[in-house]
Amino acid sequence: MKSIKKSDRLRFMLAGLQHASVSMLYQDADLVIRFSANLPEDWPADTEVEGKSDDALFSEPQAAKITSAKQQVIRMGEATKLEILREAERERHWFMLHIDPDIDADGTVIGVFTTILDIDDLKYRETVLKTLLRELSHRSKNLLAIIQSVASQTARSADGLDDFLLAFRNRVQSMAKSQDLVTASDWRGAELFELTRSQLNPLVGKLPQNFSVAGQDAYLLPNAALHLGLALHELAIDSLAHGALGPAGGDIVLSARHGADESGAPELEVTWAETFARAPEIPAQPKSSFSRTVLGRIVPQALSAQVTYETGDKRMVYRLMIPASQYEADQKLRA
């Protein structure tokens, strides 16, 4: 093959620049524009800026900042770069300017090359990342506060170190399961019925035949998912110890129903109902019982929810009335 001419190489390069959101400027030592290429469509045409200065492309404050940077490059002979927010006709766009000196054979700076890159996408991703990091920091602090509370409450009701370690580890694992669902949904939250399955799986595997879910599912917001997951864990542990999942036998239904409170505001009614095959032998609960604290105080307060907790020889019902601020409705029926 014959060697490719310089003019063809330049043509190839310009063709590539046209699809790369990259613009070029060359200015002499007086910062007069002598050449431009591939300027954005809403900018002045290449021919319109030749013989002019940076104020032909940028507003006065921006042009002054850019000119100062280019003068520094000419004086020092060292490249620099500059981020510029260009505002024109109510449009705002971010650009990165790479400014390089043009040095002749004698070492004299005779001009500057400016490569202009459109960085709108980069700045948008940067903004999103900062927002996510702030949100992550906020949620991490909340999660650590919950863990601290769980540790404190577990210690109060534990019979000893071994009992504390076992109960605390199980509760942290419960929160981790809820957190996994929240993270998988891009911090939107967790689906109620999927949350239920994730909490019971480490304890009983797949949902047993005597356990069913019913009603209308809902997406719980992150705070609600973490706290309700903890409640489901405590309900399952209690049931395994002396309820329908354990010695009493019987059936359990986890149901959800969308309704309204007395003022007409939407709310989600979540009910865990156990029907016993035989009367459960429930040991006396100490006043510091963590399960009672979680189900009767911590979860209702965290969700701003009303709670009812009824126990008897034939049936146990735990019900939360959760306000709309804690969930997103999903009208798909689940049997």
Side-chain angles (χ1 to χ4, degrees):
M1 291 181 63
K2 294 182 179 179
S3 297
I4 298 175
K5 297 178 181 178
K6 271 189 177 181
S7 60
D8 288 332
R9 291 176 185 273
L10 180 59
R11 180 166 55 86
F12 298 158
M13 291 173 62
L14 290 176
L17 289 175
Q18 289 177 351
H19 300 285
S21 300
V22 178
S23 306
M24 300 291 298
L25 282 180
Y26 178 78
Q27 292 162 278
D28 60 24
D30 296 321
L31 297 183
V32 176
I33 299 173
R34 297 303 182 185
F35 171 80
S36 65
N38 199 40
L39 296 178
E41 291 183 0
D42 57 341
W43 288 30
D46 295 340
T47 55
E48 294 176 357
V49 300
E50 291 181 9
K52 298 181 180 179
S53 57
D54 287 308
D55 55 12
L57 296 172
F58 301 95
S59 66
E60 184 176 343
Q62 296 165 331
K65 184 177 180 180
I66 295 168
T67 298
S68 176
K70 290 179 177 178
Q71 288 171 342
Q72 179 75 4
V73 169
I74 292 173
R75 284 195 303 270
M76 304 300 295
E78 297 178 356
T80 189
K81 58 184 179 180
L82 193 64
E83 284 188 4
I84 288 293
L85 176 60
R86 185 177 186 271
E87 301 180 70
E89 298 180 359
R90 299 182 181 179
E91 292 282 338
R92 294 161 53 92
H93 296 286
W94 281 98
F95 294 92
M96 174 68 77
L97 277 58
H98 291 267
I99 307 169
D100 296 277
D102 180 20
I103 304 175
D104 66 9
D106 298 327
T108 302
V109 178
I110 59 174
V112 292
F113 301 100
T114 304
T115 306
I116 304 172
L117 307 177
D118 184 336
I119 58 170
D120 267 350
D121 288 345
L122 180 63
K123 297 299 285 188
Y124 172 75
R125 288 194 293 270
E126 183 181 293
T127 300
V128 171
L129 180 59
K130 287 180 179 178
T131 301
L132 289 175
L133 288 174
R134 284 196 298 269
E135 182 70 11
L136 178 60
S137 175
H138 173 69
R139 294 191 185 281
S140 297
K141 289 176 182 178
N142 285 346
L143 184 57
L144 288 172
I146 295 171
I147 293 173
Q148 185 179 28
S149 175
V150 168
S152 176
Q153 294 291 340
T154 302
R156 291 176 186 174
S157 58
D159 293 332
L161 180 59
D162 290 341
D163 183 47
F164 166 79
L165 291 175
L166 177 62
F168 181 64
R169 181 170 60 249
N170 288 338
R171 285 158 183 159
V172 170
Q173 289 176 347
S174 165
M175 288 187 289
K177 288 287 184 181
S178 300
Q179 187 65 31
D180 284 344
L181 293 178
V182 170
T183 304
S185 69
D186 294 330
W187 296 90
R188 178 186 170 194
E191 191 178 29
L192 171 61
F193 292 162
E194 182 61 27
L195 178 68
T196 303
R197 296 184 182 95
S198 75
Q199 290 298 323
L200 267 69
N201 183 265
L203 301 173
V204 298
K206 292 184 179 180
L207 294 186
Q209 291 185 348
N210 67 332
F211 191 103
S212 60
V213 295
Q216 296 172 294
D217 211 345
Y219 250 103
L220 302 167
L221 298 183
N223 176 66
L226 287 174
H227 283 91
L228 191 53
L230 193 56
L232 291 168
H233 173 79
E234 295 302 321
L235 287 165
I237 290 293
D238 286 351
S239 184
L240 284 167
H242 46 71
L245 290 176
D251 299 305
I252 302 176
V253 178
L254 187 285
S255 63
R257 184 179 66 86
H258 295 277
D261 62 16
E262 295 178 355
S263 65
E267 66 179 4
L268 177 69
E269 179 183 319
V270 177
T271 304
W272 173 293
E274 298 189 36
T275 303
F276 304 125
R278 47 192 167 274
E281 296 181 4
I282 303 177
Q285 293 280 352
K287 292 182 179 179
S288 59
S289 167
F290 180 80
S291 176
R292 295 283 177 173
T293 303
V294 167
L295 298 174
R297 181 169 60 82
I298 294 178
V299 171
Q301 286 181 359
L303 304 186
S304 300
Q306 294 182 356
V307 60
T308 57
Y309 193 6
E310 304 168 1
T311 59
D313 290 342
K314 297 182 178 180
R315 188 171 169 82
M316 187 282 286
V317 177
Y318 178 75
R319 181 178 291 110
L320 286 170
M321 308 300 291
I322 302 173
S325 60
Q326 298 292 333
Y327 70 94
E328 296 176 12
D330 180 356
Q331 298 302 327
K332 184 176 180 180
L333 292 175
R334 304 293 179 98

